[in-house]
């Protein structure tokens, strides 16, 4: 272990893709290897997520992360100095002990995650391996099916529509590189349709998607469905639609408020609406159809829409206990995994394992505020999550992840296994 012993931690305040401050750090090991990591940040953040520590006050409008940076370089560094960077479980446990609060609110999940990831990157480097191979520990790598953002709304596009993402899932692609090319075609074709309607297709949303102001939410689905056909792809067989409703964002009182359509719905009518969309469009996956604490609505969604992948983001927040509750109550059949919702690599990996053992699908996800780091791509291959959601085919913080996966696929050559449609939950994706 001497080569992978942690010698020091350097931390600093960097900027994310929205221009907001975020925590970056470098973990340096006794053998001379080092690893850096910059952490992402969400906008449609669930209230049950691990705590992102921000300074408040004047700097950066209160969004500065000097306190989290000081924690990373101070208390957290003290807690891990001398430890083995290759022992992720022990390291993450030490970070959690040092913080001492249930949601990492004292020192910040942003500080904790930066060290957790940087230590793994450093350990892999010390052992002369790419991060995904180090994580695999001898298992076979799996290139994930991408979910690619085509039209954005909600908190990522000035609420152009209420739903947050309409994404392309290139179910019929034979490899990761082909999947990305197909998604690119869908984005381009959809952009042409947007332009033809006299709307602006040049401006991009937070995750690189188109963000046209449409008259209804269904218009966004219709555009992407038409984009798939215009791209020369067969709906469902070649390319399907995934949608992130992000319903927590438009919960109002006991129900839900669709602002662009000026109408309010209760949970049952929202599920009914989604069911109609699923009948009319080639949808295979629905994320956050109901709000983050609407367990009853989620149960109803699972009963009515269980033939689709029902993906929990704000409901589950990469939290083992919330996933266990959803398993008990029969809500969802897939979990979105965002490492910064939980704060450490080990706790995120634990959620992936639990979901997989329970027959659920797993989708690794970036945040709307991202960085040029590519480590998320290695996690998808190394944890064999089967699916990944990173944003659109443009903006460098998005392409950093796609490009990393393209390189991994090229390096693996004939040994590269692509997840394909079978990794989605729900029989619609499987059936084509
Ligand atoms: P966020 O959005 O990173 O802004 O939370 C991503 C998502 O909801 O999937
Ligand atoms: Zn989401």
């Amino acid at each position: 272990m001497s080569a992978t012993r942690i010698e020091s931690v350097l931390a600093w305040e960097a900027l994310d893709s929205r221009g907001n401050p975020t925590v970056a750090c470098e973990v340096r090991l006794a053998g001379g290897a080092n690893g850096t990591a910059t952490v992402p940040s969400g906008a449609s953040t669930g209230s049950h997520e691990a705590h992102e520590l921000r300074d408040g006050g004047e700097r950066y409008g209160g969004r500065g992360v000097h306190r989290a940076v000081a924690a990373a370089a101070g208390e957290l560094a003290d807690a891990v100095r001398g430890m083995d960077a290759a022992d992720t479980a022990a390291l993450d446990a030490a970070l959690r002990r040092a913080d001492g609060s249930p949601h990492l609110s004292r020192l910040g999940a942003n500080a904790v995650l930066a060290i957790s990831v940087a230590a793994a990157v450093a350990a892999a480097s010390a052992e002369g391996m790419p991060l995904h191979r180090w994580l695999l520990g001898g298992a076979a790598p799996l290139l994930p099916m991408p979910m690619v953002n085509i039209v954005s709304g909600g908190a990522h596009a000035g609420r152009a529509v209420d739903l947050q993402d309409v994404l392309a899932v290139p179910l019929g692609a034979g490899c990761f590189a082909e999947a990305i090319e197909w998604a690119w075609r869908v984005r381009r074709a959809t952009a042409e349709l947007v332009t033809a309607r006299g709307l602006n297709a040049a401006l991009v949303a937070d995750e690189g998607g188109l963000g046209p102001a449409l008259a209804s939410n269904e218009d966004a689905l219709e555009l992407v469905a038409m984009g798939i056909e215009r791209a020369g792809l067969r709906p469902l067989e070649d390319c399907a639609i995934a949608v992130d409703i992000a319903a927590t964002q438009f919960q109002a009182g006991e129900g839900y408020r669709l602002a662009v359509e000026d109408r309010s719905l209760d949970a049952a009518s929202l599920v009914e609406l989604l069911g109609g969309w699923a009948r009319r469009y080639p949808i295979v996956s629905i994320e956050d159809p109901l709000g983050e604490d609407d367990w009853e609505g989620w149960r109803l969604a699972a009963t009515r829409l269980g033939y689709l992948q029902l993906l929990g983001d704000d409901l589950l927040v990469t939290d083992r206990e919330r996933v266990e509750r959803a398993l008990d109550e029969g809500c969802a059949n897939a979990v979105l995994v965002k490492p910064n919702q939980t704060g450490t690599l080990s706790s995120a990996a634990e959620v992936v394992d639990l979901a997989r053992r329970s027959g659920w699908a797993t989708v690794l996800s970036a945040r709307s505020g991202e960085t040029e780091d590519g480590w998320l791509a290695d996690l998808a291959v190394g944890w064999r999550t089967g699916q990944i959601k990173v944003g659109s085919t443009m903006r460098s913080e998005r392409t950093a992840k796609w490009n990393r996966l393209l390189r991994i696929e090229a390096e693996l050559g004939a040994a590269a296994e692509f997840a394909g449609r079978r990794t989605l939950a729900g029989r619609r994706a499987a059936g084509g």
Side-chain angles (χ1 to χ4, degrees):
M1 98 101 149
S2 63
T4 50
R5 187 164 43 79
I6 295 177
E7 208 157 69
S8 63
V9 175
L10 175 73
W12 64 98
E13 187 180 64
L15 294 179
D16 74 14
S17 56
R18 273 192 285 253
N20 290 326
T22 192
V23 181
C25 90
E26 180 174 288
V27 169
R28 294 170 175 166
L29 308 184
N34 57 57
T36 65
T38 311
V39 303
S41 173
S44 71
T45 311
S47 60
H48 303 290
E49 296 193 16
H51 184 77
E52 182 178 73
L53 188 67
R54 299 213 176 258
D55 298 334
E58 291 297 309
R59 290 183 68 253
Y60 284 117
R63 292 176 178 169
V65 291
H66 273 171
R67 286 197 293 152
V69 164
E75 279 191 68
L76 293 169
D78 291 347
V80 300
R81 198 173 296 110
M83 289 188 77
D84 185 0
D87 188 349
T88 305
L91 188 93
D92 288 347
L95 292 167
R96 276 189 194 280
R97 264 197 314 277
D99 177 89
S101 70
H103 293 285
L104 303 175
S105 52
R106 195 174 74 81
L107 301 176
N110 39 355
V112 169
L113 184 69
I115 296 186
S116 179
V117 176
V121 173
S125 160
E127 292 173 23
M129 280 184 224
L131 180 60
H132 63 274
R133 189 137 58 84
W134 184 78
L135 291 166
L136 282 162
L142 182 67
L143 270 299
M145 171 65 75
M147 271 183 184
V148 183
N149 189 303
I150 307 296
V151 171
S152 294
H156 300 164
R159 308 202 183 266
V161 286
D162 301 291
L163 57 78
Q164 186 176 283
D165 314 313
V166 184
L167 309 104
V169 192
L171 290 180
C175 65
F176 179 78
E178 185 170 57
I180 289 295
E181 197 267 336
W182 287 11
W184 181 93
R185 273 157 58 184
V186 174
R187 196 193 184 290
R188 188 183 62 168
T190 307
E192 287 166 358
L193 294 167
V194 167
T195 306
R197 290 190 186 191
L199 298 167
N200 193 325
L203 302 178
V204 300
D206 283 359
E207 298 196 355
L210 301 157
L214 301 167
S216 75
N217 289 289
E218 188 165 344
D219 274 0
L221 293 166
E222 194 199 7
L223 263 180
V224 176
M226 287 169 67
I228 289 170
E229 295 196 40
R230 188 180 170 92
L233 299 167
R234 293 167 299 170
L236 279 184
E237 282 90 337
D238 294 332
C239 187
I241 289 177
V243 55
D244 183 359
I245 304 296
T248 308
Q249 288 285 313
F250 55 83
Q251 270 187 297
E254 294 288 284
Y256 298 87
R257 169 114 199 112
L258 297 177
V260 290
E261 298 169 26
D262 191 21
R263 62 174 168 149
S264 299
L265 302 170
D266 60 11
S269 334
L270 180 54
V271 170
E272 200 53 41
L273 179 74
L274 299 177
W277 290 352
R279 280 191 297 278
R280 292 193 288 285
Y281 301 99
I283 293 172
V284 287
S285 178
I286 302 187
E287 179 177 336
D288 285 352
L290 285 309
E292 61 187 356
D293 290 308
D294 191 350
W295 296 90
E296 197 187 327
W298 264 96
R299 280 196 301 275
L300 180 66
T303 315
R304 296 288 168 78
L305 306 171
Y307 64 103
L308 304 172
Q309 174 166 278
L310 294 177
L311 181 55
D313 173 10
D314 293 348
L315 178 78
L316 305 173
V317 293
T318 318
D319 180 77
R320 186 174 51 80
E321 287 175 16
R322 291 182 74 89
V323 171
E324 278 166 354
R325 177 168 175 192
L327 283 162
D328 280 352
E329 296 195 17
C331 306
N333 55 26
V335 58
L336 197 78
V337 176
K338 291 168 164 170
N340 81 328
Q341 282 180 330
T342 171
T344 62
L345 283 184
S346 343
S347 49
E350 197 187 352
V351 166
V352 171
D353 285 344
L354 169 64
R356 187 178 297 134
R357 275 187 277 114
S358 312
W360 277 20
T362 55
V363 184
L364 193 70
S365 172
R367 299 308 301 248
S368 53
E370 263 298 331
T371 79
E372 59 275 28
D373 257 7
W375 52 261
L376 193 82
D378 281 76
L379 299 192
V381 177
W383 288 347
R384 296 178 52 90
T385 61
Q387 297 174 66
I388 188 170
K389 180 187 177 207
V390 160
S392 201
T393 46
M394 60 177 66
R395 288 186 66 138
S396 299
E397 76 281 4
R398 313 290 146 194
T399 55
K401 281 71 167 173
W402 304 137
N403 288 342
R404 178 77 189 132
L405 289 165
L406 290 166
R407 174 184 169 157
I408 292 171
E409 187 169 69
E411 267 177 357
L412 289 170
E417 185 195 348
F418 176 55
R421 69 196 323 138
R422 70 189 156 77
T423 48
L424 274 83
R427 63 179 182 278
R428 182 179 264 187

